[in-house]
Amino acid sequence: MPYVNIQVTREGVTAEQKARLIKGATDLLVDVLDKNPATTFVVIEEVDLENWGVGGLPVEEYRARQQEKQS
């Protein structure tokens, strides 16, 4: 009984995109591990940007720095 937890930042992920993530994760477990899709659980959690960090920085600051590097 696989359980997959997908966390994304809360930035307007659509219901269609979430459905595609659920199907894609389920299909991957079926294809790779021969798991039963009827007992495969996928949960998508949306996390506020202020609660997400990368590279030791809040994600918004990290992104701003990455943009500065590209300019």
Side-chain angles (χ1 to χ4, degrees):
M1 181 180 345
Y3 169 84
V4 178
N5 181 272
I6 299 172
Q7 294 184 332
V8 296
T9 53
R10 189 178 313 254
E11 295 180 272
V13 179
T14 67
E16 179 185 340
Q17 290 170 319
K18 290 177 186 179
R20 289 178 60 198
L21 286 170
I22 292 166
K23 180 168 181 5
T26 301
D27 289 349
L28 181 63
L29 285 162
V30 169
D31 293 345
V32 174
L33 299 177
D34 198 30
K35 294 298 181 178
N36 181 349
T39 58
T40 298
F41 297 87
V42 180
V43 175
I44 298 171
E45 295 182 76
E46 292 183 86
V47 179
D48 292 326
L49 282 179
E50 64 265 14
N51 296 329
W52 195 284
V54 62
L57 300 168
V59 74
E60 289 179 300
E61 186 177 341
Y62 177 83
R63 288 177 179 172
R65 290 186 185 190
Q66 294 303 305
Q67 286 255 295
E68 289 172 7
K69 288 181 184 179
Q70 294 175 0
S71 299

